[in-house]
Amino acid sequence: INLVGARIDDITLTNYRQTIDKNSPAVRLFAPAGTKAAYFSTVAWTANGVAVPGPQTLWTATGSALTPASPVTLTWTNPTGQTFRIDYSIDQDYLITAKQSLINRGAAPVTAATFAYINRLGAPTDPHEKSSWTNHIGPMGVFDGKSITDWDYDDIAAAPGAMVKFDNTRWLGFTDKYWLAAVIPGATEVASAAMLKTSGDEYQTIFSRPNQIVAAGTVSSATSRLFAGAKETNLLSEYQDNMGITHLNKAIDWGWFEFFEKPIFQLLDWLFRMVGNFGVAIMALTLIIRLLMFPIAQRQFGSMAQMRLVQPKMKALQERLKDDKPKMQQELMKLYKDEKINPLAGCLPILIQIPIFYALYKVLILTIEMRHQPFILWIRDLSAPDPANILNLFGILPFTPPSFLAIGVLAVILGITMFLQFRLNPQATDPVQQQVFKIMPWLFMFIMAPFAAGLLLYWITNNILSIAQQQWMYRKFPQLKVAAAK
């Protein structure tokens, strides 16, 4: 706590490192004004006709360290007899509570209001701390019971007066990819708020309460809270449920599919706690999903083989009725019915995999629980791309390939497993489709290379399990292999 201005302006998160290097310094969230990464928070007052503490006020403190067991009290008295007091306390995690009291020892009543704000110098320059279509980074808050992520740093700067105002504030602040700083009024308070950019390239999120009249000889108090720390999924939910901080877990930008993504995360997190390795947990998650989808995949594979078996009949129909499209469609539907074939059965597993794949993608890029989690050998961070680039001979050559050419070992394994999987499928009769299926594995190798290693690990595991299932199906039902060959 900086006694000049009563600012919380120096926070490091000792459980988190800046890089995967074991000697990397701890993540620094807040830094004092005047530094390159200035980022801080404080509580303050406005009043009519009396002096109030400001950014340069030197406060007097009781106690030398703010800990969960030892609160700290700051006081300052103006020349007209009003004493301003801040009681700071902190829990075991990331929540700081500030109780503001105005003790009016003067001879006349005082009209005053309290407010709290976060000040940040400039927008983050790290390319990983930029908003994208999958993850909002920047100013945000909850107003009227709804989370608002519509405003980026540029939007605030471009707004009229470089300010956007809100009512019915539950909390607001700045969210980064993994970190959050937010000021929070009381659960039943009426507070107005604003996001703004100052002339000094500083961004602020601020909430204020209505004026109150503090009679002579009385005390007026208000309590604000500051969350400053890591966006740990379960902890945000605990603060939301137990501390009444509305939608605090929305600081993680789950998006529209939160109902599906969070169960995937909870299962993955539970598996991690069981096995102790997130890579193994991803593989176990893939196995569970494959087991759940096994009956569907069986029907898909059987339907594909049946489709190949009736290809001669389908071709004959198409040739015979090529000039009568409606009749051809009717006869094809009748053929499907007679042969007990569902032409859409092959699409269902793919359609089911899409939301699962997207949910895992969001979990990998959003949740701090996945940050810097190793797997084996060279895979030291499953939330980052595979670092073993083939084009620079795994780092021997002194250059970094562009992202679209940064083919890692996992991407090559992905291409190979997709190729083997397609080889086991019944071959398409259309020459164009045959060429597409030949090219697709190697195309996806390039497409997926820049994605998180954990996502590639999921897809590789899924391909291997698909290959194993296809081999098992061929052994159990030899007629399917015959149908595929025909």
Side-chain angles (χ1 to χ4, degrees), residues 64-329:
S64 59
L66 175 61
T67 73
S70 58
V72 168
T73 297
L74 309 184
T75 56
W76 178 80
T77 302
N78 66 13
T80 55
Q82 287 79 35
T83 296
F84 298 85
R85 170 173 168 162
I86 306 173
D87 294 303
Y88 277 121
S89 60
I90 190 171
D91 70 358
Q92 297 285 349
D93 296 297
Y94 304 121
L95 198 65
I96 298 172
T97 301
K99 181 183 177 182
Q100 297 171 256
S101 300
L102 194 166
I103 306 165
N104 186 8
R105 296 190 179 95
V110 173
T111 301
T114 56
F115 65 95
Y117 70 91
I118 299 172
N119 192 95
R120 185 170 197 169
L121 178 61
T125 56
D126 186 342
H128 296 101
E129 295 294 344
K130 301 290 185 182
S131 274
S132 66
W133 67 276
T134 56
N135 187 22
H136 172 76
I137 293 174
M140 76 167 297
V142 171
F143 313 97
D144 289 319
K146 297 179 181 179
S147 63
I148 303 297
T149 58
D150 299 337
W151 300 91
D152 293 329
Y153 292 99
D154 292 342
D155 299 325
I156 299 296
M163 178 186 293
V164 184
K165 295 182 179 180
F166 303 92
D167 293 316
N168 299 323
T169 306
R170 298 276 57 90
W171 62 267
L172 78 164
F174 298 99
T175 178
D176 296 313
K177 185 175 182 179
Y178 296 118
W179 327 112
L180 172 68
V183 283
I184 308 156
T188 60
E189 287 185 311
V190 176
S192 56
M195 301 173 182
L196 61 118
K197 182 179 185 292
T198 70
S199 57
D201 197 34
E202 294 177 325
Y203 291 86
Q204 291 183 351
T205 57
I206 181 171
F207 78 80
S208 60
R209 302 178 177 90
N211 282 328
Q212 285 190 325
I213 298 174
V214 186
T218 64
V219 179
S220 174
S221 298
T223 299
S224 306
R225 288 171 290 181
L226 167 68
F227 180 97
K231 296 193 295 188
E232 297 169 6
T233 308
N234 293 330
L235 182 63
L236 292 179
S237 295
E238 285 181 20
Y239 280 137
Q240 175 178 295
D241 298 337
N242 301 330
M243 305 289 289
I245 306 175
T246 306
H247 293 325
L248 187 63
N249 63 2
K250 298 292 186 182
I252 301 174
D253 189 10
W254 296 106
W256 292 348
F257 299 101
E258 178 180 358
F259 71 94
F260 189 73
E261 293 159 9
K262 288 191 74 173
I264 292 290
F265 164 76
Q266 296 294 350
L267 176 56
L268 184 61
D269 188 54
W270 179 81
L271 289 169
F272 169 64
R273 285 184 271 111
M274 293 297 103
V275 300
N277 183 294
F278 248 118
V280 177
I282 289 173
M283 297 171 75
L285 174 71
T286 313
L287 178 60
I288 291 171
I289 292 170
R290 291 297 306 187
L291 288 173
L292 292 174
M293 292 179 58
F294 185 76
I296 299 173
Q298 275 187 301
R299 287 197 293 271
Q300 173 208 16
F301 196 71
S303 179
M304 289 171 63
Q306 286 176 301
M307 286 286 285
R308 298 299 177 263
L309 196 61
V310 299
Q311 278 289 348
K313 296 182 181 179
M314 292 172 61
K315 279 198 165 188
L317 273 175
Q318 290 166 349
E319 284 294 323
R320 183 162 54 89
L321 302 172
K322 61 183 178 181
D323 296 326
D324 189 350
K325 299 294 182 182
K327 180 68 173 176
M328 182 199 301
Q329 290 300 322

Side-chain angles (χ1 to χ4, degrees), residues 28-78:
R28 187 169 189 174
L29 184 62
F30 279 6
T35 63
K36 291 182 179 180
Y39 192 10
F40 56 83
S41 178
T42 192
V43 294
W45 287 261
T46 60
N48 296 328
V50 298
V52 296
Q56 302 306 316
T57 299
L58 179 61
W59 292 72
T60 300
T62 62
S64 59
L66 175 61
T67 73
S70 58
V72 168
T73 297
L74 309 184
T75 56
W76 178 80
T77 302
N78 66 13

Side-chain angles (χ1 to χ4, degrees), residues 345-363:
C347 301
L348 186 58
I350 298 172
L351 293 175
I352 293 174
Q353 284 284 358
I354 290 172
I356 295 171
F357 187 78
Y358 181 72
L360 185 60
Y361 166 74
K362 291 279 279 190
V363 167

